[in-house]
Amino acid sequence: MIIPRQNRHKRNHRPRFRPIQTVTFSLLPVRTAVNFFRSKNIHFLTPEPENRACRLQHRLFLTLILKTTACKTMLYDYPQYYEAAFSFRDVAWEADFLKQVIDRHAVVPVRTVLEIACGHAPHAGELSRLGYRYVGLDKNPHMLAYAREKWRELNPPPEFIQGDMVSFELPTKVQFAYVMLGSLYLNTDEEMQSHFAAMARCLEPGGLYFLDWCVQFTEPLTRQLSNSVELNRDGINIKSEFNTRLIDAARQLYEEIWTVHVNDHGQEKTLRTVERNRAIFPQEFLLFVKTQTDFRFVGWWEDWDLNRPIKGSAAPTRPLVLLRRK
Ligand SMILES: C[S@@+](CC[C@H](N)C(=O)[O-])C[C@H]1O[C@@H](n2cnc3c(N)ncnc32)[C@H](O)[C@@H]1O
């Protein structure tokens, strides 16, 4: 996932950028849980070392606390805040743009569109208005429950499927698929192969796969991206901070760390999402598509403009890539 610094079509939106610090607070929920148990006189953090049962209980408690607190701080578990954090996007414009891609490049009639990593399915309403049936795939049940509720009256009715993009099956084939905001969470060559095999299975021959910000023309391994955005929506104040961190240079692995401070009518929360990603560079991607997938490369463009193919020395701010199922 990448937080857009600005949308080309929304030039007046200029988030503030500043270096950020991303540490300490993630331990806060653990501390809170420990304090809670202490207040109940449960001192499991000082086990009797010679007592095996006590040591086991201690380990169990710690695991439980770390797991529950880690889950609770995930932004994706609070879709309403995720939606608020991205409310500056012009979703209608983006949906119209997807239609433009279809109109220009589809060679088969497009009836159903699939969004990979759909989250709360921001485009479902607009795509439906444009005449497409919407299918969303995501692995987070909270996001999917929120999307189902939000779009429950849509016609044609959307379909939401819980699954992992690395490998999944769809009940029926689609003619257009897309992934937004660089949400292609694949960590290894094997996961890439598996994902594109799943995409090939679910797309009709001639169908299109559109990838927003998923190929890294300006590489994230040495460059520390960071930005922060603050906005208000329906009385909710959201401060987002985004950063990247190199994990393994040889494996092209980096982490995206996204921290959101929420003030919801006086109730404060800090939510954090960390996604591990393998950088995909342009020429390796072309070679990969050509030799290891059932797709053909159609083109790449910059900054939401189909009249601007990526070329020359200027680094694209928001690369878009289009593939066609053979
Ligand atoms: C940045 S959000 C994008 C949501 C939406 N597409 C949008 O444009 O706002 C990324 C989404 O990817 C989902 N996700 C992360 N890893 C995934 C995986 N391996 N398979 C399916 N979904 C995944 C998360 O649950 C989250 O909803």
Side-chain angles (χ1 to χ4, degrees):
M1 174 269 311
I2 303 177
I3 297 186
R5 288 178 177 221
Q6 65 178 48
N7 282 355
R8 189 172 177 273
H9 51 286
K10 291 193 101 186
R11 292 255 182 234
N12 52 355
H13 170 75
R14 293 206 181 273
R16 290 180 296 117
F17 306 120
R18 61 185 161 85
I20 61 164
Q21 300 190 339
T22 49
V23 232
T24 54
F25 68 85
S26 61
L27 287 175
L28 271 178
V30 179
R31 257 185 248 139
T32 314
V34 169
N35 287 341
F36 170 79
F37 283 107
R38 275 209 187 119
S39 72
K40 301 274 173 248
N41 234 0
I42 303 173
H43 295 283
F44 52 88
L45 288 177
T46 49
E48 297 166 43
E50 66 287 356
N51 183 335
R52 190 162 175 268
C54 185
R55 279 204 316 269
L56 272 177
Q57 196 189 26
H58 167 239
R59 206 176 298 160
L60 201 76
F61 260 128
L62 275 184
T63 314
L64 194 75
I65 282 182
L66 284 171
K67 285 221 156 134
T68 46
T69 52
C71 290
K72 284 263 156 53
T73 59
M74 276 283 288
L75 176 65
Y76 297 151
D77 293 346
Y78 295 86
Q80 71 277 29
Y81 296 143
Y82 174 88
E83 186 177 30
F86 275 98
S87 55
F88 61 86
R89 279 161 91 184
D90 188 341
V91 169
W93 192 96
E94 291 180 4
D96 282 341
F97 181 84
L98 292 178
K99 181 172 183 328
Q100 219 187 100
V101 173
I102 292 171
D103 290 347
R104 280 206 197 182
H105 293 285
V107 293
V108 292
V110 174
R111 298 178 303 279
T112 306
V113 300
L114 164 71
E115 179 171 12
I116 298 295
C118 65
H120 65 299
H123 307 92
E126 292 297 333
L127 288 171
S128 169
R129 178 182 59 81
L130 293 168
Y132 305 112
R133 194 174 81 84
Y134 178 93
V135 179
L137 176 105
D138 202 285
K139 72 173 184 187
N140 186 302
H142 301 276
M143 282 288 203
L144 291 173
Y146 188 80
R148 280 190 191 106
E149 178 57 24
K150 185 179 168 87
W151 301 117
R152 92 190 122 88
E153 292 189 347
L154 217 56
N155 196 12
E159 190 175 352
F160 294 103
I161 296 169
Q162 186 172 359
D164 192 322
M165 67 174 79
V166 172
S167 183
F168 64 92
E169 303 283 341
L170 291 190
T172 49
K173 290 203 188 276
V174 303
Q175 297 81 36
F176 181 81
Y178 68 99
V179 55
M180 286 280 181
L181 299 176
S183 306
L184 195 67
Y185 299 117
L186 307 170
N187 285 186
T188 59
D189 286 355
E190 291 71 29
E191 288 189 3
M192 279 179 61
Q193 279 161 350
S194 171
H195 170 74
F196 281 90
M199 294 307 296
R201 282 195 300 274
C202 73
L203 272 160
E204 262 181 27
L208 295 170
Y209 186 18
F210 172 85
L211 301 103
D212 163 37
W213 233 332
C214 297
V215 174
Q216 277 81 27
F217 287 77
T218 47
E219 61 116 353
L221 301 184
T222 51
R223 224 178 218 236
Q224 284 282 307
L225 298 170
S226 83
N227 70 42
S228 76
V229 181
E230 178 171 354
L231 49 91
N232 289 291
R233 191 197 188 209
D234 304 333
I236 304 175
N237 176 273
I238 305 262
K239 287 185 193 138
S240 288
E241 299 172 342
F242 177 76
N243 205 1
T244 55
R245 184 166 75 98
L246 177 62
I247 300 296
D248 185 329
R251 289 161 65 211
Q252 298 175 201
L253 273 184
Y254 65 101
E255 263 175 3
E256 299 172 348
I257 304 143
W258 189 24
T259 308
V260 173
H261 307 279
V262 179
N263 185 328
D264 185 348
H265 301 86
Q267 286 224 344
E268 302 213 18
K269 265 192 182 45
T270 296
L271 307 169
R272 189 189 203 213
T273 294
V274 180
E275 297 277 13
R276 193 162 281 202
N277 231 342
R278 173 205 192 282
I280 305 175
F281 301 125
Q283 291 305 313
E284 73 161 333
F285 184 67
L286 286 186
L287 187 64
F288 169 76
V289 170
K290 199 166 161 186
T291 56
Q292 299 191 42
T293 73
D294 293 314
F295 289 88
R296 235 186 274 285
F297 173 74
V298 178
W300 46 37
W301 299 270
E302 67 171 288
D303 212 8
W304 294 83
D305 189 345
L306 291 178
N307 297 316
R308 289 170 66 196
I310 296 173
K311 59 181 183 191
S313 61
T317 48
R318 190 158 177 177
L320 310 172
V321 178
L322 188 64
L323 304 178
R324 181 177 292 121
R325 171 81 168 87
K326 286 180 194 160

